[in-house]
């Protein structure tokens, strides 16, 4: 079997959740979905959805990202991506994810992660899938750990934020031999 490229546009579906290639046509619905999101200083939400879509599509064209719109019951309700793509080494990060408040704390994020991880490991034959978050984002760290990812370490002074503060980034990963157990855990959460 030949591995599917991590950058190849695909549609991933399970139940009411569909991950589709991000397109400018999603802009109005995604702008509406963004309403009511409140983020702490250590996280980011796009100020302009059309600009964010353009940036993500440009990153896709450059081979660094594979962006998806998250559709719930057919309505665009957020974004997620394969990012930091390293095709040669079959490594990828899942990130740049945000979801409408209306679908947070539902099965949507778990389903999206199950779809992305399954595609990365089973179709693309990834050797590692990473997750990254701010040192200060304890909620995100807990969510990543609940997925079954293992903490690799902290990249200190990893990035300069738009406001000039320095961000320490916590890095997690899942490896192919861990995927079956992670998959069973996600399936069990969705079955509840």
């Amino acid at each position: 079997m030949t591995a599917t490229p991590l950058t190849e546009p695909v549609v991933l579906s399970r139940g009411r959740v569909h991950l589709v290639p991000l397109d400018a046509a999603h802009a109005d619905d995604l702008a509406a979905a963004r309403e009511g999101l409140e983020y702490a200083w250590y996280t980011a939400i796009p100020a302009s959805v059309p600009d964010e879509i353009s940036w993500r599509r440009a990153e896709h064209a450059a081979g660094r990202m594979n962006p998806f719109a998250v559709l719930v019951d057919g309505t665009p309700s957020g974004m997620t991506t394969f990012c930091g793509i390293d095709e040669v080494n079959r490594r990828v990060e899942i990130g740049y994810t945000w979801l409408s408040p209306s679908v947070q704390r539902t099965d949507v994020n778990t389903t999206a992660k199950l779809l992305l991880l399954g595609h990365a490991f089973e179709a693309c034959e990834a050797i590692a899938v990473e997750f990254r978050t701010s040192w200060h984002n304890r909620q995100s760290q807990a969510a990543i750990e609940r997925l079954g990812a293992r903490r690799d370490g902290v990249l200190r002074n990893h990035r300069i934020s738009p406001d000039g503060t320095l961000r320490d980034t916590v890095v997690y990963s899942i490896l192919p031999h861990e995927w079956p157990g992670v998959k069973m855990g996600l399936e069990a959460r969705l079955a509840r």
Side-chain angles (χ1 to χ4, degrees), residues 173-186:
S173 67
I174 299 172
L175 303 180
H177 70 277
E178 297 164 340
W179 168 234
V182 169
K183 182 178 181 179
M184 285 176 28
L186 293 172

Side-chain angles (χ1 to χ4, degrees), residues 61-106:
R64 293 185 289 262
M65 183 179 277
N66 192 351
F68 298 89
V70 180
L71 276 57
V72 180
D73 297 321
T75 302
S77 302
M79 297 183 199
T80 192
T81 70
F82 278 163
C83 51
I85 293 174
D86 180 349
E87 288 283 8
V88 172
N89 292 299
R90 298 192 325 268
R91 295 182 64 91
V92 67
E93 176 188 348
I94 295 174
Y96 294 96
T97 302
W98 65 266
L99 295 171
S100 169
S102 66
V103 299
Q104 290 179 7
R105 292 177 175 68
T106 69

Side-chain angles (χ1 to χ4, degrees), residues 12-30:
L12 305 172
S13 299
R14 180 185 169 119
R16 65 191 192 118
V17 178
H18 306 277
L19 305 182
V20 302
L22 184 64
D23 189 86
H26 298 123
D28 289 343
D29 286 329
L30 288 172

Side-chain angles (χ1 to χ4, degrees), residues 141-160:
Q141 290 177 51
I144 293 167
E145 290 169 7
R146 278 193 306 273
L147 288 173
R150 292 193 182 175
R151 185 172 164 167
D152 294 329
V154 179
L155 302 174
R156 298 173 60 210
N157 283 356
H158 179 235
R159 286 199 312 218
I160 301 172

Side-chain angles (χ1 to χ4, degrees), residues 1-5 8 90 117-126 179:
M1 178 173 124
T2 303
T4 301
E8 184 172 307
R90 298 192 325 268
L117 287 163
H119 185 66
F121 286 118
E122 295 167 13
C124 303
E125 300 177 7
W179 168 234

